[in-house]
Amino acid sequence: KAKEAAQVVLATMNPEDTFNVVEFDTFASSLTVPSCFTNGMARATAQNMDRLDNYVVHDVAAGGFTYYQRALTLAYQMLANGQQSGITSGGNRAILFMTDGEPSDSNRNDIINYINSKSS
């Protein structure tokens, strides 16, 4: 269901928007190939959307624990890199989180506190 939901979100984007995906379990990773994803966020061009769709459908796999804070840390870094490079100016920004389970973080309140610290 998560892969189908990701495809629905991707279908709503236009070329001024930027996006990436954070796949996480024990570790958090994002799409970094091709080079347009190196700074973390890429324009939602048809070619990039096809690449992401292929990644979500074929390469995202279940496994390990489910550490949300690691995924959030990576996502905030991608957004910061996109802002510094200027790629995220204009348009909407989207990061799709793909995982397979309930949080494995030892204290779920730490997840909320981390989000709150980043939004202030």
Side-chain angles (χ1 to χ4, degrees):
K1 291 183 182 186
K3 291 179 181 183
E4 292 167 4
Q7 289 174 314
V8 169
V9 171
L10 295 176
T12 68
M13 301 189 79
N14 64 59
E16 289 80 40
D17 298 333
T18 54
F19 71 97
N20 205 329
V21 63
V22 172
E23 174 188 10
F24 66 106
D25 45 37
T26 304
F27 303 100
S29 61
S30 66
L31 186 60
T32 57
V33 176
S35 61
C36 62
F37 289 95
T38 306
N39 283 332
M41 302 294 283
R43 292 272 176 214
T45 63
Q47 184 177 24
N48 289 342
M49 299 297 280
D50 286 344
R51 289 173 174 149
L52 184 63
D53 183 60
N54 187 55
Y55 175 74
V56 167
V57 171
H58 299 290
D59 296 334
V60 173
F65 292 97
T66 308
Y67 291 109
Y68 281 71
Q69 191 163 344
R70 292 177 185 173
L72 292 167
T73 300
L74 178 59
Y76 280 115
Q77 185 60 53
M78 291 187 326
L79 290 169
N81 290 347
Q83 191 172 25
Q84 286 178 333
S85 70
I87 195 166
T88 58
S89 61
N92 296 306
R93 295 170 292 220
I95 297 177
L96 304 172
F97 291 91
M98 305 292 291
T99 193
D100 63 348
E102 294 290 320
S104 300
D105 303 81
S106 59
N107 184 346
R108 293 181 186 190
N109 287 329
D110 288 344
I111 300 167
I112 301 302
N113 292 336
Y114 181 76
I115 293 168
N116 289 335
S117 76
K118 292 296 187 177
S119 61
S120 50

